Amino acid sequence: MQDFDAIVIGSGIGGLVTATQLAAKGAKVLVLERYLIPGGSAGYFERQGYRFDVGASMIFGLGQNGTTNLLTRALSAVNVSQEAIADPVQIHYHLPQGLNLKVDRVYENFLQNLIAHFRHEEEGIRRFYDECQKVFKCLNSIDLLSLEEPRYLLRVFFQHPLACLGLVKYLPQNAGDFARRYIKDPQLLKFIDMECYCWSVVPSDMTPMINAGMVFSDRHYGGVNYPKGGVGQIAQKLVEGLEKAGGKIQYQARVTKIITEQGKAVGVQLANGKLYRGKRIVSNATRWDTFEQLLPAEEMPDNEKKWQENYQKSPSFLSLHIGVKESVLPAETECHHILLEDWQKMTAAEGTIFVSIPTLLDPDLAPSGYHIIHAFTPHWIDDWQELSVSEYEAKKEEAAWRIIDRLEKIFPGLDAGLDYLEVGTPRTHRRFLGREDGTYGPIPRRKLWGLLKMPFNRTAIPGLYCVGDSTFPGQGLNAVAFSGFACAHRIAVDLGF
């Protein structure tokens, strides 16, 4: 057994930020990754000259100003940087009842685009999104570290008392609470549901106001910025920085067990039987994988059982990774799109289609004369179980063509312009990402009080911490980076760094 200050299970962005922050402080850190490359759902794969992002390519946190540019700050902490390309439009919505609008990077332009559809709600629109701006300003005025560390909280409170009091006000609130306070139009409220659903996978009633304030405002502040070379470059750069700072990463190192002694986490065991010992163990796996697979499920702490009563696994996705002739895309096509034809089907499997076309920002990701279209839509793993090989392939093909037929409304000629198509299902996500049921994180089972029920990094098992989308503040690359900063800060204090 080898001794480390911290062992991180998984090289998703949350795990890598934790590892790099600790390594930068002088800790001896080891990251264990089951796959061939880092990043998890922020990874990539290459086929026939195309470099595809595994997950979404709408990236927050790569800005240059304020304190909420957490990906930029994480890279800088280990003396690396990532070139990014500014996206002038966050999303182009194609929604029911002719609600076709773009979320412009310039705040006032976005408001005007939305007000043009809802003139009678101009005041309500401004008041709701201005409320989101207030949340963001509170967040953007303080250094975002561990809310579990009393000295940090005291320091921040004395430095920024108004910002802290403002955040306390918003912490138990959901975005829907504020939306209905200012807005009455049912269709506009549905639009705000979609604004939340596109990144939180739940409507506004169950989306914490803190998270909504961050996303709805940072897109106009730091903006959405695409990493040159693809989303996978963020993880690659963090690994480069980790190794520069003296940390280590091992690939094809699948952790099968967290070792405990007298109730305390002290190490891990790999699938090949190898053991590593650490003063602190950090799981970047989901809480379901952590407490049901890596630890004995029958010994699950009571607070984890309670957490599972409040949260459930979000759906996974059916993903189409498509290569198309550039002639398929109309002039002035935006990078990100959301397509929904029926409001009642927004949260259903195949209801909402998310589209990323990263080659509009970085043409080098595809062969000359071609573009990448990554289309994905929610799907549950239960629909893909107990199929023979031929049934599974046939089901994938049928689902893919249903999606392509719908995308033809936005991109006429897509079928005729196809050059490459690869389909991923929830089973694919489970296999390559090592996440139970291929889930992309937790969602509330019912309406909760904002973020008050979301756990922090420490667990009931001494020496064991969790990081990533199963911890405060939830899903999204910038959110899991926040989780990584917080986890590393708490561990560094605990270890005396």
Side-chain angles (χ1 to χ4, degrees):
M1 297 180 77
Q2 299 180 35
D3 286 311
F4 292 88
D5 291 315
I7 296 173
V8 180
I9 304 167
S11 68
I13 296 300
L16 286 177
V17 171
T18 303
T20 49
Q21 285 288 302
L22 286 171
K25 293 175 170 66
K28 186 180 179 184
V29 182
L30 172 66
V31 178
L32 297 168
E33 168 55 48
R34 61 184 285 152
Y35 194 47
L36 303 169
I37 60 172
S41 56
Y44 72 95
F45 64 97
E46 295 179 319
R47 299 283 190 276
Q48 299 182 14
Y50 295 94
R51 175 175 280 201
F52 293 106
D53 297 324
V54 170
S57 54
M58 188 168 62
I59 307 301
F60 294 88
L62 279 175
Q64 297 302 317
N65 301 314
T67 63
T68 57
N69 55 342
L70 295 171
L71 295 174
T72 299
R73 291 174 56 204
L75 293 163
S76 178
V78 283
N79 300 309
V80 292
S81 61
Q82 171 62 48
E83 181 183 351
I85 305 159
D87 190 348
V89 170
Q90 183 211 10
I91 295 175
H92 185 173
Y93 285 110
H94 310 263
L95 302 176
Q97 300 169 275
L99 187 49
N100 188 312
L101 65 89
K102 299 180 181 182
V103 180
D104 197 280
R105 191 180 185 112
V106 177
Y107 182 53
E108 183 59 30
N109 291 353
F110 160 63
L111 292 182
Q112 290 297 337
N113 290 345
L114 186 56
I115 290 167
H117 288 271
F118 301 98
R119 297 273 180 204
H120 57 293
E121 287 279 20
E122 177 172 0
E123 181 182 356
I125 289 170
R126 289 190 178 277
R127 291 185 69 183
F128 171 70
Y129 284 102
D130 283 353
E131 196 84 46
C132 294
Q133 293 277 325
K134 293 177 185 176
V135 176
F136 180 75
K137 287 174 182 175
C138 292
L139 289 167
N140 202 35
S141 65
I142 62 178
D143 197 18
L144 300 176
L145 294 172
S146 177
L147 302 184
E148 295 182 281
E149 210 275 283
R151 285 178 298 175
Y152 159 75
L153 292 176
L154 282 172
R155 185 178 76 248
V156 169
F157 181 78
F158 284 117
Q159 290 174 342
H160 307 282
L162 294 180
C164 291
L165 291 172
L167 290 176
V168 168
K169 166 191 168 183
Y170 292 111
L171 201 58
Q173 304 278 353
N174 290 308
D177 301 331
F178 284 91
R180 283 189 305 278
R181 186 178 301 173
Y182 301 130
I183 293 167
K184 303 303 178 189
D185 188 291
Q187 189 186 11
L188 179 53
L189 290 171
K190 286 289 186 186
F191 172 75
I192 291 171
D193 278 339
M194 176 58 83
E195 280 262 83
C196 293
Y197 181 73
C198 72
W199 50 270
S200 70
V201 207
V202 286
S204 62
D205 268 356
M206 295 192 288
T207 299
M209 188 61 178
I210 295 278
N211 298 42
M214 171 74 89
V215 173
F216 294 161
S217 304
D218 193 33
R219 63 189 182 187
H220 307 294
Y221 180 80
V224 174
N225 301 281
Y226 188 76
K228 177 72 175 172
V231 173
Q233 286 296 110
I234 299 172
Q236 297 278 4
K237 290 284 189 178
L238 285 170
V239 168
E240 178 187 333
L242 173 69
E243 294 177 331
K244 278 184 181 180
K248 296 181 180 180
I249 184 168
Q250 286 187 22
Y251 299 104
Q252 294 182 289
R254 183 167 67 90
V255 175
T256 56
K257 183 179 181 181
I258 294 172
I259 300 167
T260 60
E261 293 177 359
Q262 297 178 331
K264 180 180 179 181
V266 296
V268 300
Q269 181 176 325
L270 304 188
N272 63 9
K274 194 165 187 177
L275 304 176
Y276 292 100
R277 194 173 187 90
K279 296 175 184 175
R280 297 293 186 271
I281 309 301
V282 181
S283 177
N284 194 191
T286 70
R287 293 186 102 87
W288 295 279
D289 290 290
T290 302
F291 290 97
E292 296 177 13
Q293 305 297 327
L294 301 181
L295 290 161
E298 63 274 12
E299 298 177 16
M300 184 186 298
D302 289 341
N303 65 331
E304 293 299 330
K305 295 176 184 177
K306 183 66 177 177
W307 182 80
Q308 291 196 16
E309 291 175 6
N310 289 323
Y311 289 88
Q312 62 185 329
K313 285 168 280 191
S314 72
S316 187
F317 288 98
L318 175 77
S319 293
L320 276 61
H321 297 278
I322 306 170
V324 297
K325 296 176 182 177
E326 63 182 7
S327 58
V328 169
L329 301 182
E332 300 183 358
T333 298
E334 304 299 346
C335 180
H336 299 104
H337 300 256
I338 287 181
L339 172 64
L340 175 67
E341 298 91 345
D342 182 348
W343 286 121
Q344 299 304 313
K345 296 181 179 179
M346 183 179 77
T347 61
E350 293 186 33
T352 300
I353 300 177
F354 306 86
V355 178
S356 294
I357 314 173
T359 40
L360 290 170
L361 300 175
D362 185 357
D364 294 340
L365 299 173
S368 179
Y370 292 85
H371 279 293
I372 286 170
I373 296 179
H374 178 200
F376 49 106
T377 186
H379 252 263
W380 300 94
I381 200 166
D382 290 348
D383 295 332
W384 296 91
Q385 303 282 50
E386 300 179 3
L387 300 172
S388 68
V389 173
S390 59
E391 289 171 338
Y392 182 59
E393 292 302 321
K395 187 178 178 71
K396 285 203 298 184
E397 185 172 356
E398 291 170 5
W401 287 108
R402 285 197 300 270
I403 301 304
I404 290 171
D405 286 345
R406 290 169 63 191
L407 290 177
E408 286 265 356
K409 300 170 187 175
I410 308 175
F411 311 119
L414 173 59
D415 184 356
L418 273 179
D419 176 61
Y420 181 84
L421 173 63
E422 185 162 342
V423 183
T425 72
R427 283 169 53 175
T428 316
H429 289 276
R430 180 180 63 186
R431 177 186 174 191
F432 288 101
L433 302 182
R435 298 171 66 90
E436 186 168 306
D437 294 346
T439 180
Y440 267 66
I443 56 175
R445 291 184 181 274
R446 58 189 178 279
K447 184 178 178 181
L448 300 174
W449 281 21
L451 278 175
L452 290 183
K453 296 289 185 179
M454 183 62 82
F456 296 119
N457 302 108
R458 286 191 294 188
T459 71
I461 298 174
L464 177 63
Y465 302 72
C466 284
V467 72
D469 52 31
S470 294
T471 60
F472 184 97
Q475 297 185 42
L477 284 198
N478 214 25
V480 298
F482 183 174
S483 172
F485 273 94
C487 189
H489 179 79
R490 181 64 261 182
I491 292 172
V493 171
D494 292 344
L495 291 176
F497 279 95

